[in-house]
Amino acid sequence: MRGTAYGGEAPGKRWPVNGWLAAACLLLVLGLGPALCGAVVGPVRSRLLAQNVATVLAALVLLLSSPGYDRPAYLDTALVLAVLGPAGTLVYERLLAEDLPRGTPWPALARAASWASVAVVPPVVVPVCFAVAPGRTTVKVLVIGALLVAGSAVCGRALARAPRTAVGEDSGD
Amino acid sequence: MTELPVLLGLLLATTAGTAAALTRDPVHQALVLSVLGLALALLFTLLQAPDVALSQLAVGTVLTPLMVLLSVRKVRRRPREDSPADGRGGKR
């Protein structure tokens, strides 16, 4: 059922899931779980940050599912999310401009989360680059990675700025 | 064990859906709906349905929360229109 289009071992022989799917599961549990928790509690600014992190992590899970299931078509899903995700976050940030100045209760955690969402992209994108067929597909994976890094950095910076009505907590990033 | 990604995706979608249903404020709910859309798109991809996932990404991640936020914005603007006009026609 699972061919060797990616040149790897078919799962089911020694391991129940192959390495790509295991990494995807790890990202799901360790990344999207806390991102969901961050989107559920707190003021609007930290929720929006959590939504941004969730977008990046979901795009990475989609990217990992492509070699995981031997379907090059899944890269298109990751590409669409890499384009729509940061654009959506920036649109929300514009629409919620009135609610944002309330600040985050944990500014250090927010900053760490936005840095982490940028830093986790290269360790995922580079192995996938080597796993896909050379040529146009590699360029597609690289474009996904670049869009995710750029989008996440822009959104993180836009959201981690100090609140406009400075209450005295966030002392300027 | 091979179904582990699907199980995790299902768990994530269930939790996100429950959280969205239990959130009261529309603005907060819009953001939780966005995460729910992401979780559903992941679930569809893990269930080998990438076309459905593409549609879900377009609708659930961008459109639904956007419509909720635009409605909230429209509803909130009403008290301000009663105040004396300052000639800007209500534009921000």
Side-chain angles (χ1 to χ4, degrees):
Chain A
M1 189 166 70
R2 292 198 174 97
T4 52
Y6 279 86
E9 276 187 18
K13 296 227 172 115
R14 279 180 303 169
W15 314 100
V17 293
N18 59 22
W20 304 107
L21 290 181
C25 290
L26 212 62
L27 262 183
L28 267 177
V29 173
L30 293 181
L32 281 170
L36 179 60
C37 293
V40 168
V41 297
V44 176
R45 183 182 285 261
S46 65
R47 289 186 194 229
L48 196 50
L49 248 164
Q51 190 262 348
N52 183 32
V53 171
T55 309
V56 175
L57 292 176
L60 288 179
V61 172
L62 287 174
L63 188 64
L64 281 173
S65 72
S66 176
Y69 289 112
D70 285 320
R71 301 269 185 274
Y74 292 2
L75 289 178
D76 299 329
T77 325
L79 185 61
V80 167
L81 186 52
V83 173
L84 287 182
T89 309
L90 287 174
V91 167
Y92 301 155
E93 195 237 336
R94 186 78 184 92
L95 281 179
L96 292 172
E98 307 164 348
D99 297 299
L100 283 183
R102 266 175 241 149
T104 54
W106 316 282
L109 183 62
R111 235 172 285 142
S114 54
W115 276 116
S117 71
V118 174
V120 79
V121 174
V124 172
V125 165
V126 171
V128 175
C129 266
F130 284 116
V132 300
R136 217 169 38 177
T137 324
T138 320
V139 176
K140 195 191 278 192
V141 175
L142 284 174
V143 166
I144 295 175
L147 281 174
L148 284 177
V149 168
S152 179
V154 168
C155 292
R157 177 163 307 193
L159 288 172
R161 253 179 311 187
R164 256 174 272 158
T165 60
V167 190
E169 308 176 24
D170 217 21
S171 59
D173 196 30
Chain B
M1 203 50 185
T2 45
E3 308 301 327
L4 184 63
V6 173
L7 275 177
L8 287 179
L10 208 50
L11 197 62
L12 187 71
T14 316
T15 318
T18 312
L22 291 176
T23 312
R24 284 293 150 211
D25 185 43
V27 174
H28 297 166
Q29 196 179 41
L31 292 172
V32 182
L33 280 178
S34 173
V35 178
L36 173 62
L38 282 176
L40 283 177
L42 278 182
L43 183 61
F44 294 151
T45 308
L46 293 172
L47 287 171
Q48 322 293 329
D51 303 321
V52 188
L54 281 174
S55 312
Q56 171 63 40
L57 280 177
V59 171
T61 314
V62 182
L63 282 182
T64 307
L66 189 64
M67 279 169 38
V68 172
L69 285 179
L70 283 176
S71 313
V72 169
R73 196 175 154 93
K74 196 81 172 166
V75 166
R76 271 194 199 162
R77 190 128 353 130
R78 231 190 283 138
R80 287 209 204 125
E81 284 173 3
D82 294 338
S83 62
D86 47 359
R88 283 199 301 171
K91 282 210 169 62
R92 280 200 76 241

